[in-house]
Amino acid sequence: MIFTVAIDGPAAAGKGTISRAMAERFGFAHLDTGSLYRAVGVKNGDPVAAARGLTPDDLERDDLRSLAVGQAASRVAVIPEVRAALLEFQRRFARREGGAVLDGRDIGTVICPEAEVKLYVTASPEVRAHRRWLELGGDEAQVLAEVRERDARDMGRVDAPLRPAADAVLIDTSEMTIGEAVELAAAAVEAALRRAGPG
Ligand code: DC
């Protein structure tokens, strides 16, 4: 079965948790596409060469989750050649046999416009900054400033900007528990599986 769940949205909206839950519940493979851009952003030197030479080991580094690496990822993600170098791998992953969940910024719009399910997971900047601050600590006002800066860059870039696909289901998690958001997402996946039919 070829079946893709595309999950897009801004930083700290809950995409990662929802994606992992969908992969586990439905037995699909999962790719956190932000980790590709983080693995490129954390490297010194030419980001285009880094993107072209990325290896599975690069994605396993344990320093990829910091705010600084998130900003570095967002900066290299505006470079069209970096995006182009990462495109084929993501497309193949999306259409692999057995079903796949990909989360990122452009999955439903660019990587896999034919995805059977598209979710756009969002929350207010204040709520997202508060979640990141609980996770990583630091100065909450500074975290909020960085969330806004990253949103502006990810939404404002020319190549594959962050925006909901026309046919995406919107999930605003600002006033939801993670459990509620996961159930909404699961209902959308179940409806699409019924539409796709057996096999
Ligand atoms: O989801 P994340 O916070 O790990 O993503 C880090 C950055 O990578 C994000 O700010 C923009 C970039 N990114 C992207 O441009 N396209 C994707 N599909 C995923 C991430």
Side-chain angles (χ1 to χ4, degrees), residues 78-172:
V78 305
I79 304 169
E81 291 84 357
V82 166
R83 307 199 71 81
L86 302 175
L87 186 91
E88 229 5 83
F89 172 71
Q90 295 175 80
R91 281 212 171 134
R92 252 183 285 121
F93 193 99
R95 299 315 263 172
R96 66 195 274 154
E97 185 55 45
V101 183
L102 288 84
D103 69 287
R105 303 290 186 288
D106 63 340
I107 309 304
T109 51
V110 173
I111 300 297
C112 193
E114 69 274 38
E116 282 73 14
V117 185
K118 296 179 192 175
L119 305 178
Y120 190 83
V121 180
T122 188
S124 72
E126 290 77 11
V127 166
R128 290 186 285 119
H130 188 67
R131 289 178 187 158
R132 262 297 130 87
W133 173 74
L134 288 175
E135 188 189 331
L136 299 172
D139 170 9
E140 191 169 353
Q142 175 66 24
V143 176
L144 177 58
E146 293 204 13
V147 160
R148 289 191 193 282
E149 185 187 336
R150 196 130 76 91
D151 282 359
R153 197 185 298 109
D154 292 348
M155 292 173 184
R157 69 182 175 224
V158 173
D159 193 14
L162 169 64
R163 60 179 174 77
D167 51 350
V169 174
L170 264 83
I171 301 181
D172 186 329

